[in-house]
Amino acid sequence: MIQSIQFVGIILIFINLTTSLIGMTVNNHQIDVSRQLSDVRYASSIQINDVMKHLDELQAIATASSGNRAVEAIGFNRTLDYITNFLSVNTEFKIKKTFFNLRNFQLLRNPTLSSTINGVVKTHIYSTNPAIGEFNYPLYTTSANISSDILITAIPNLGCPDDDWLVARPAPAGLVAIVKRGGCAFQSKGTLASKYNVAALLLYNDGITPSNMRPTKINLGQNNRVPALFLSYDLGKSLVTAANDPSQVATIRLTILTDNELNPVGNICANTTTGDPTQTIVIGSSGSAANLALAAALSSLLETSNYPTYKYRIRFCWWGAEELGFLVLITTFRKQ
Ligand SMILES: *[C@@H]1O[C@H](CO)[C@@H](O)[C@H](O)[C@H]1NC(C)=O
Ligand SMILES: *[C@@H]1O[C@H](CO)[C@@H](O)[C@H](O)[C@H]1NC(C)=O
Ligand SMILES: *[C@@H]1O[C@H](CO)[C@@H](O)[C@H](O)[C@H]1NC(C)=O
């Protein structure tokens, strides 16, 4: 079991709270931090200068790396090196650096969409302004160039279970599937669309409220593998009506051009070597400098023989893509 603490607020507790006993509830688990905090040495051993020293070092890395330490920049890797070097020199912790691929999504050209219903061609309006556009592109859509007419198949219900895709007629493989919003996440619909090998996926808003009429911005998630567009309720409904009418032939052409380049992003985690590994407290934050100071102070204390034994394993983590939508949580936290 892993219990994670959003650390930004916690540092104040560690630094300011010296004598009172506190209990904390994280993810519905009661964590008894009183045992650790009843020994005031940890809190009092952390000095603001320790944190400032790291901030200065991080700034020096940015200055030497064209002014930034962002993902994909060399300053990012230098930051990882700084953290791992500091931890290996100043702690006994078990350190692990893990790289994972992050998709760097970019729309390269405005998408196009036209429909043909019984020979009548309509070119639909693309805009990121939902008040104007009939369709928008979802984040992480892949590219497609459908330059000859492809049949639309309307997925019944909301396209959340496999059954909806299995009973769709015509079968979705190689066709453009259209699915209404609702019932499950857009990501789930995208996963099923790629499982059933669609040529493209048209999602459309559900029209349930006035704000759900227009094609807003949606996200198909880092793992999406299908070309997709998000349509207004009115456009979606008219295409579904035509696709479900045996007396009509409804087809689509579209172009979507995106860059979904993969970039390696690194996480670092460092475990104490003591404490119960089945009860691990994870400490991670955007406050890399504070995190480093905390880790070093804890390591020094654990090396003093008279410091009370910890019940918990402590794991400090520095997240590579936290600011890009907490992407780290998806890849590093599997239920244990
Ligand atoms: C950062 O390190 C990773 C892993 O070694 C590497 O794949 C990537 O190219 C490096 N990035 C830069 C900008 O050097
Ligand atoms: C799509 O493919 C057609 C036919 O191969 C080509 O003429 C057209 O330029 C392509 N369009 C885009 C946007 O790539
Ligand atoms: C750190 O601890 C976690 C949780 O207890 C464990 O899954 C992971 O393998 C450990 N890593 C190392 C490098 O010991």
Side-chain angles (χ1 to χ4, degrees), residues 199-222:
L201 172 65
L202 301 178
L203 296 157
Y204 69 104
N205 218 336
D206 58 16
I208 284 174
T209 62
S211 63
N212 280 18
M213 296 301 290
R214 309 302 313 170
T216 47
K217 190 95 204 187
I218 64 164
N219 185 348
L220 284 175
Q222 283 270 319

Side-chain angles (χ1 to χ4, degrees), residues 70-78 80 97 99 101 263-266:
V71 163
E72 293 166 45
I74 189 66
F76 180 82
N77 283 3
R78 287 175 178 158
L80 298 184
K97 193 171 5 169
F99 277 87
N101 280 323
N263 288 294
V265 179

Side-chain angles (χ1 to χ4, degrees), residues 116-158:
T116 306
I117 297 173
N118 278 355
V120 179
V121 181
K122 277 190 189 159
T123 301
H124 301 291
I125 301 163
Y126 162 74
S127 175
T128 53
N129 177 353
I132 299 168
E134 290 179 278
F135 72 96
N136 199 346
Y137 67 92
L139 204 55
Y140 299 114
T141 172
T142 62
S143 302
N145 178 5
I146 299 181
S147 55
S148 58
D149 295 335
I150 294 200
L151 271 182
I152 307 174
T153 184
I155 306 301
N157 307 312
L158 296 168

Side-chain angles (χ1 to χ4, degrees), residues 109 112 144-147 254-257:
R109 193 189 298 154
T112 62
N145 178 5
I146 299 181
S147 55
L254 57 80
T255 64
I256 305 169
L257 194 60

Side-chain angles (χ1 to χ4, degrees), residues 100-105 138-146 165 175 186-203 219-229 256 258-263 330-331:
F100 62 98
N101 280 323
L102 186 68
R103 281 166 79 182
N104 181 22
F105 177 85
L139 204 55
Y140 299 114
T141 172
T142 62
S143 302
N145 178 5
I146 299 181
W165 295 78
L175 304 187
F186 289 117
Q187 280 96 320
S188 310
K189 299 173 198 259
T191 303
L192 286 170
S194 65
K195 178 173 175 185
Y196 292 99
N197 295 311
V198 301
L201 172 65
L202 301 178
L203 296 157
N219 185 348
L220 284 175
Q222 283 270 319
N223 296 322
N224 175 57
R225 295 287 173 266
V226 285
L229 294 172
I256 305 169
T258 61
D259 184 352
N260 270 296
E261 189 194 357
L262 293 176
N263 288 294
I330 302 162
T331 45

Side-chain angles (χ1 to χ4, degrees), residues 27-73:
N27 296 346
N28 299 323
H29 297 291
Q30 185 73 16
I31 298 179
D32 175 18
V33 288
S34 57
R35 190 189 317 232
Q36 285 89 345
L37 292 174
S38 62
D39 188 306
V40 300
R41 279 174 289 174
Y42 188 23
S44 56
S45 70
I46 299 160
Q47 301 299 316
I48 189 71
N49 282 346
D50 299 333
V51 180
M52 293 309 292
K53 190 189 72 191
H54 294 304
L55 286 179
D56 287 341
E57 295 286 347
L58 294 173
Q59 181 56 50
I61 292 170
T63 305
S65 312
S66 315
N68 84 74
R69 298 185 297 107
V71 163
E72 293 166 45

